[in-house]
Amino acid sequence: MSPSTDPAVPADPADPADPADGPAARIAAAYAFTGPALELGALLWDGACLPDRQIRVPLSMLNRHGLVAGATGTGKTKTLQLIAEQLSAHGVPVFLADIKGDVSGISAPGTDNDKVRARAADVGQDWQPAGCPSEFYSLGGLGTGIPLRATVTAFGPVLMSKVLQLNQTQEQSLGLIFHYADTKGLELIDLKDLRAVVAFLVSDQGRPELKGIGGLSTVTAGVILRALTAFEQQGAGAFFGEPEFDTGEFLRTAADGRGLVSVLELPAVQDRPQLFSTFLMWLLADLYTDLPEVGDLDRPKLVFFFDEAHLLFNGASKAFLDSITQTVRLIRSKGIGVFFVTQTPKDVPADVLAQLGNRVQHALRAFTPDDAKALKATVKTFPNSPYDLEELLTQLGTGEAVITVLSENGAPTPVAATRLRAPRSLMGPVDAAALDRAVKASPLYSRYAEPVDRESAYEKISAEQAAAEAEAEAAAAAAEAEKQAKAAEKAARTAPKPDPSLAQQVVGSGLFRSLARSVGTQLGREISRSLFGTARRRR
């Protein structure tokens, strides 16, 4: 095939016919590393696959991050499966997000068939079926897997603002609310804790507290409360709470020394992309916070595959993007490698893309003007190449990709069109019953399966409000009693005096007074006794 009709042929008329002496040999030589490396596939050149020209990536460079990109159906999932199972074999733990539910097969040996054998022969692969030691997780217990939960405090205001879809001003206000909760000793464990704090601040009782939080208005607090309530009504409360997952569990190895592959099953929440993509970022940020600095290692401590990465960046605030960029830039020194999996490099912000040293670019489509623009932008992200990348990227088959990685000395390798190896594990989901058995057999299941609801901000605020209401009711009752007592006293003073009785009339009469003056006489004494009802003594 001539150079003008085959995009995999360099536009160099001096290119010799023998690939052993030409650019193909030079490209392959750049991938002949001396240390441990992962085998990706065989070089494509001049319309042929060259099984003796192997394309590899150094194990020590996988903490320099990477990108797996390509249109839907071009083989991205199988590529990350291929890389993950080789990492596990080298004793490196792996984290995978399973969006569609088809990555669970990495735990089971693959199926031998004509297609697999043909691919293995084509790329020079000694294919043997093998599964990887795996753990399966789910977000908050929705779906099959060990529940992953985070406390609201650990999630933080920046990530929470992303899932609540708050604007920049509201995000800053939410940060003040978190600060208020910290200073008051109000633990934010689950969503009802955060909702209770915000509701308190917009209540009559809490409004004076709101004035003490600089820059937080009642209107903004009300917007946050409504967003939080709607978010909770969507069932998101299950993802927040205790026991909080320890991300250090991802760093474990199996008894035979292979790295554990942690698969986060997301089919049950794939309709909530903002949530699961942000939750993945929390896992990564938590690892960054907890792990010590280790510098450059001969192999990474963990490789984290961030699937559907474009969802993470859609609608992201500047603070959120800054946090992602800082995490990706600095987590390398913690021994963590991050691979973003998405459709085109333009889905990833330039500051993040600049940190991704290893690239596996599957085919792109150019059906629309926007597609053509994305294709040109993708080509510009690669080093200069003897390939016509703009044409090549539209003609790659499934399981083929354009690759460039960092060499052992950190320099980028030449671009290599590659036919990728076949994964050794099952390329599809495992049986649902087998998956459920694997989850419940894990030693982590009993640790994280049941949620715990201990006293936190909600209970404290509820108790304080109940006490305040009881105190207010007691004060109101005392005031009412005092009011009634005063009214009774006033009524007693102003009431008309009753008519005197007959005795009182007699006592007060002039006759009685005259008789009283004669009380010393016998007659007076007898009259007095008869008047008071006493008997006269007998003599």
Side-chain angles (χ1 to χ4, degrees), residues 283-347:
L283 294 174
L284 195 59
D286 193 67
L287 283 166
Y288 167 73
T289 301
D290 289 348
L291 292 177
E293 295 280 342
V294 294
D296 290 325
L297 303 173
D298 59 352
R299 61 183 182 180
K301 298 175 69 173
L302 172 73
V303 176
F304 192 104
F305 287 90
F306 209 125
D307 205 359
E308 300 292 340
H310 65 282
L311 299 172
L312 181 67
F313 304 108
N314 287 348
S317 67
K318 183 179 184 304
F320 186 77
L321 291 176
D322 289 345
S323 297
I324 296 174
T325 303
Q326 182 182 24
T327 301
V328 173
R329 180 182 295 122
L330 299 179
I331 203 170
R332 177 185 68 81
S333 63
K334 306 291 185 84
I336 305 297
V338 183
F339 273 72
F340 290 96
V341 184
T342 188
Q343 294 197 3
T344 70
K346 73 181 185 67
D347 292 335

Side-chain angles (χ1 to χ4, degrees), residues 156-242:
V158 175
L159 294 177
M160 187 60 71
S161 296
K162 181 70 163 56
V163 297
L164 294 178
Q165 301 182 44
L166 303 181
N167 62 32
Q168 184 173 348
T169 300
Q170 293 159 357
E171 177 183 318
Q172 293 169 348
S173 297
L174 185 60
L176 293 174
I177 293 171
F178 271 72
H179 176 70
Y180 170 80
D182 288 342
T183 57
K184 296 296 183 179
L186 299 173
E187 292 182 277
L188 303 177
I189 303 296
D190 49 28
L191 288 183
K192 73 176 185 297
D193 290 325
L194 180 56
R195 179 166 45 81
V197 172
V198 181
F200 170 73
L201 289 173
V202 297
S203 68
D204 292 339
Q205 184 181 352
R207 199 166 288 119
E209 298 279 340
L210 191 66
K211 294 179 180 178
I213 306 176
L216 180 60
S217 69
T218 304
V219 173
T220 302
V223 170
I224 294 172
L225 180 61
R226 289 191 294 273
L228 188 59
T229 301
F231 184 57
E232 197 170 13
Q233 289 173 347
Q234 294 168 9
F239 310 126
F240 298 94
E242 289 182 323

Side-chain angles (χ1 to χ4, degrees), residues 478-501:
E480 181 64 23
E482 183 180 357
K483 179 180 178 182
Q484 292 179 357
K486 290 181 178 179
E489 182 181 351
K490 182 178 179 181
R493 289 197 306 267
T494 58
K497 294 181 179 180
D499 294 335
S501 64

